[in-house]
Amino acid sequence: MFDKTIVINGKSKLTGSVRISGAKNAALPELAATILSSGSFEFENIPAVEDIRVMFKALQNIGACGEFEKNRIQIQLETVKSALVPRDIVETSRASILILGPLLARNGFAKVSKPGGCPIGDRKFNYHLDGLRMMGADISMDDRHIIARADKLSGIDFRFPAKTVTGTENLLMAATLAQGVTVLNNCATEPEVDDLVRMLKKMGANIQIENDGRLIVEGQASLNGCQHHIIPDRIEMGTYIIAGGFLGNELIIENAVPEYIESLLGILKSMGVEIAVEQDKIKVCSNGDLSSVEVETLPFPGFPTDLQAQLTTLLTQVKGVSRIRENIFNNRFQHVKELNRLGADIDVKHNVAIIKGKTPLRGQVISATDLRASAALVLGGVIAEGDTIIENAHQLFRGYERMPEKLEKLGARLEVVRENPRSKS
């Protein structure tokens, strides 16, 4: 098994244009939705990242045939040949939980590995299971798997106790093949959920989105295949927008959707970052001292938890004291220890990070703890003096397409080293 290390020679200014790739968090549920139909599917603008490769392999394991080439996937699951999604395929991703609903709805039986992914705190999937049980599923668990059976799922009126993106997506997909009408209340409203709805409608699903966030689904006997273009990745978009906020940087973000990221744009403008929006382009630069800020993570359209770590890195370079309150996950400040190793001055009290700036950063050997933290540490390494070595960097490649290459084109100096950890003494 090969790991990756990123070596960054810092003190680089970033200038130029960067094009945003397709959204990983849209592509994952949409690939899972192919299970609902025996028809053929063609996806464009698929991000070539590790989490997508994991999902593609998981679908092949249950019987799908297809091709994944560059940024296109062609796939068809004509017959479900296995209801098992094993741990050795999905242990690095949360792909398995998104397979549960559609596989159960179509096949009547699913045995999927408990979800893996980033160790960023409690990521409860009990809302998924509660909803499926209400639909008529018999669900049990062993040490490694969730096991679900149902002769036929039935429509329900269900309210999520709290916003959950994957929970909304999972029950939505299951409802498309359930008997009767399903009403889902307090649904997540992220752009990725809206895009999944668009795809399911192309497949023949009958779905209404209400103004209060409800989803009303009339189950169908069968669905068809379709072609679908993946939306741009708002988290990658936000990461490069934040990168443009460091002093002296000037970036043009292409293939952007500004309404996906309005919360971040508002925060950066309040800090003094210069931002200009032109249709599908966002120009970002910073030419002076920025103001400190107080921020909290919230479900969409609020500031996304997936950008909290990257914004933290920027706030180390802002005069005064800034605070970020993390409301979504209870263990999402693991990057703080690594940023402090670079010279940052950050304290964490309960769910609040207190960032004291402006602090110079100096290169050190640090470790990426999760996907978004890895991006935050890369940004820190780019501005730090000297060399920064980021170990465990495979995390970055789970969700960012060609980030090192994109940064190099913008002026960063970095190298990706593949190494075999078993060869270490």
Side-chain angles (χ1 to χ4, degrees), residues 239-240 375 378-379 396 400-408:
T239 300
Y240 286 108
V378 168
L379 295 183
L396 183 76
Y400 286 92
E401 185 177 46
R402 299 183 296 105
M403 188 175 190
E405 292 95 325
K406 289 182 178 183
L407 287 173
E408 278 189 310

Side-chain angles (χ1 to χ4, degrees), residues 16-24 26 44-47 71 191-192 195 229-241 251-261 265 276-284 401-402 406:
S17 300
V18 59
R19 183 173 180 81
I20 301 305
S21 301
K24 171 187 81 85
E44 295 180 343
N45 201 37
I46 285 278
N71 297 108
E192 295 82 7
D195 198 53
H229 187 93
I230 306 297
I231 60 174
D233 193 313
R234 65 191 172 98
I235 304 304
E236 186 192 26
M237 193 186 314
T239 300
Y240 286 108
I241 291 170
L251 299 182
I252 299 174
I253 318 300
E254 299 181 339
N255 194 34
V257 185
E259 55 264 35
Y260 288 177
I261 211 77
L265 297 180
V277 175
E278 297 180 3
Q279 295 181 337
D280 64 346
K281 293 182 181 180
I282 300 174
K283 296 181 180 180
V284 189
E401 185 177 46
R402 299 183 296 105
K406 289 182 178 183

